[in-house]
Amino acid sequence: MNQVVGNLTEPVFRPPSEWNSLLIAITNGCTHRCTFCSMYRTKKFSIREDVEEIKREIDQAQLLYGGRVRKLFFEDGNAFTVKPELLAEVTEYARSVHPNLNKVSAYAHAKDIVKKSDEELALLAKAGFTMVYVGVESGDDDVLKAVRKGTCQEEFVEAAHKCHRAGIAWSGIFLLGLAGNDSEKSQKHALESAKLINLMAPADPIEWYVSPLTLEIAPGSDMWNQEQNGEFESGSFTQILKELYTMIEHTDDKLKHCVFNTNHVSNYLSLKGELGRDKQSFLKTIEAALNDPRSRQYDY
Ligand code: SF4
């Protein structure tokens, strides 16, 4: 269960792995309107600039939870629109108030990571900011354009390497099914995503994360309307698993320290391990699921 201090505006979202984190708002809403996403549609984007107020909330969490705060996640979307000095100041303050804090993270958009200099990212890392969750969705620029992601493969590569260099862990979230039910487009989405994963690999032996989710079209998103109008059709179970297979198959066998998992509830199959090391076992599991659809873990 999350640790909260009553400072959040609903609806609130966070990555599954932040289920037990202290949630502190630093932005409200999101800067983008990707077609498949309905997460922050009811919120007008803004940045919280009152550092003292945020610090008071961090203090309040100390009174409520004492030494039990081990992880902090900054809400809402795209915390990297916040000035790096401000984000660093709040992070450093949280570290001083919560001595057992060992992870500080947020969602970030690739464009806003790229805009930051290496020095600014190093400042954040030095302050104790440890991980960014980046909605990559696809390595295919055509898909990224179609869903209005507002960035491209090249920018993801640059953003990932900037984070690797700064010592901020990179967690990239991909979205299976985003190319719709056209098998050719679906395979291109998978191949370009594999290419992007290979290009994002850090030169140094540091842990980084890749997590594919499966598209769930939510009411309130533009894609919901596109689906209602017949402009978008979702891929089948088989097609989604073939996408996952192709994506993994075309990743470099030599990838290291890339923690890979598909254990999000939206996925048909739960895989967990390391790309490179566990590649062949992942492929075997997908093959078995393709041959036996009853092995799916979840159906829409
Ligand atoms: S997918 Fe991410 S960047 Fe796009 S609108 Fe949703 S929260 Fe914002």
Side-chain angles (χ1 to χ4, degrees):
M1 208 164 121
N2 282 117
Q3 295 161 326
V4 290
V5 293
N7 63 332
L8 304 169
T9 316
E10 295 289 340
V12 173
F13 301 93
R14 46 112 186 116
S17 51
E18 301 296 331
W19 64 274
N20 55 353
S21 303
L22 169 65
L23 305 179
I24 294 285
I26 196 140
T27 62
N28 188 36
C30 182
T31 39
H32 286 70
R33 282 178 69 93
C34 306
T35 62
F36 57 89
C37 178
S38 64
M39 291 206 322
Y40 301 111
R41 289 289 167 114
T42 53
K43 297 184 183 185
K44 189 171 181 298
F45 182 74
S46 61
I47 296 173
R48 292 185 70 197
E49 309 258 357
D50 189 341
V51 184
E52 294 314 314
E53 188 181 54
I54 300 171
K55 285 182 179 174
R56 279 197 294 278
E57 291 163 2
I58 291 169
D59 290 341
Q60 211 181 330
Q62 166 62 26
L63 293 176
L64 284 170
Y65 303 107
R68 282 177 289 134
V69 177
R70 296 181 190 283
K71 300 199 293 181
L72 163 61
F73 182 77
F74 286 119
E75 296 286 342
D76 272 333
N78 206 0
F80 271 38
T81 49
V82 176
K83 285 192 192 112
E85 302 78 24
L86 191 155
L87 196 52
E89 183 180 339
V90 174
T91 300
E92 208 164 12
Y93 185 74
R95 290 267 181 187
S96 68
V97 172
H98 298 281
N100 295 326
L101 198 56
N102 54 37
K103 182 180 180 189
V104 179
S105 61
Y107 286 130
H109 193 278
K111 228 176 211 1
D112 296 288
I113 297 173
V114 165
K115 274 187 206 158
K116 303 229 171 334
S117 66
D118 282 358
E119 291 72 27
E120 287 170 333
L121 291 170
L123 174 80
L124 280 175
K126 192 163 170 264
F129 187 93
T130 50
M131 180 185 270
V132 278
Y133 293 92
V134 180
V136 175
E137 332 301 353
S138 178
D140 183 352
D141 283 347
D142 289 334
V143 172
L144 293 170
K145 195 169 171 203
V147 301
R148 295 203 307 263
K149 191 67 211 178
T151 185
C152 59
Q153 187 188 89
E154 195 183 344
E155 222 159 36
F156 281 124
V157 176
E158 191 181 345
H161 285 284
K162 280 194 147 202
C163 288
H164 298 330
R165 279 200 300 275
I168 296 174
W170 173 271
S171 179
I173 303 151
F174 285 79
L175 205 44
L176 300 167
L178 200 55
N181 72 338
D182 181 298
S183 56
E184 210 172 296
K185 288 183 182 169
S186 154
Q187 281 299 295
K188 183 164 166 267
H189 166 47
L191 284 167
E192 290 295 309
S193 296
K195 180 178 162 194
L196 174 56
I197 292 170
N198 294 337
L199 288 170
M200 290 191 301
D204 296 324
I206 51 170
E207 223 167 52
W208 57 301
Y209 302 79
V210 169
S211 314
L213 271 53
T214 299
L215 176 69
E216 297 176 291
I217 304 179
S221 66
D222 296 338
M223 197 170 263
W224 175 271
N225 296 332
Q226 289 171 346
E227 192 183 44
Q228 300 296 310
N229 299 336
E231 294 159 25
F232 185 90
E233 213 172 312
S234 297
S236 64
F237 162 73
T238 303
Q239 189 184 314
I240 299 288
L241 283 196
K242 281 185 177 166
E243 254 177 38
L244 182 61
Y245 189 96
T246 303
M247 185 195 279
I248 295 173
E249 187 188 16
H250 286 82
T251 54
D252 192 334
D253 292 349
K254 296 191 197 75
L255 283 184
K256 290 239 187 315
H257 312 291
C258 179
V259 179
F260 184 87
N261 86 67
T262 63
N263 59 5
H264 187 260
V265 68
S266 65
N267 288 322
Y268 289 126
L269 269 188
S270 181
L271 307 174
K272 189 159 175 52
E274 265 188 36
L275 268 183
R277 187 192 68 193
D278 300 319
K279 179 175 171 179
Q280 294 310 321
S281 96
F282 289 158
L283 292 177
K284 269 191 202 138
T285 307
I286 302 169
E287 237 166 47
L290 278 165
N291 292 330
D292 179 9
R294 286 170 303 172
S295 60
R296 73 184 75 174
Q297 73 166 9
Y298 180 76
D299 206 349
Y300 295 110

